[in-house]
Amino acid sequence: MNIYLKDAKIYKDGMFKTSDLFVTDGRLVPASSVGGDAVLSAKVLEDLVVLPGFCDVHVHFREPGFSYKETIESGSKASARGGYTAVCT
């Protein structure tokens, strides 16, 4: 599904800017004259912002030995769900 985000708050170059974005194949691309299957007004979603992926440089995935607490798979999935694109164990 392609989604067009109108007036999204985007963090870029050290500040928040308002811009339009186009989401295609799960990736954000700059919005141009291309429309989407769904148009969402980001002004309705005032508390949401678009940020770059985060990197957590201090994680413990508890493998080997304590996989009952967390595994590499469960920790990676939790990180991705929270917006982290990279982790350092």
Side-chain angles (χ1 to χ4, degrees):
M1 173 189 259
N2 298 326
I3 301 172
Y4 180 66
L5 295 171
K6 183 143 180 67
D7 299 324
K9 286 187 265 183
I10 302 167
Y11 187 78
K12 185 176 178 183
D13 300 327
M15 64 174 63
F16 286 98
K17 299 176 180 180
T18 301
S19 183
D20 297 342
L21 283 178
F22 187 64
V23 181
T24 182
D25 297 325
R27 295 183 179 265
L28 292 174
V29 295
S32 59
S33 58
V34 182
D37 298 331
V39 176
L40 300 175
S41 174
K43 286 187 176 183
V44 175
L45 311 170
E46 286 187 34
D47 293 335
L48 299 180
V49 295
V50 178
L51 299 167
F54 297 117
C55 178
D56 190 344
V57 297
H58 187 112
V59 299
H60 300 278
F61 285 162
R62 306 296 182 200
E63 270 192 274
F66 294 98
S67 59
Y68 66 92
K69 291 183 178 182
E70 184 170 55
T71 64
I72 293 172
E73 181 181 1
S74 67
S76 297
K77 286 181 178 179
S79 298
R81 176 91 176 169
Y84 289 84
T85 58
V87 293
C88 298
T89 56

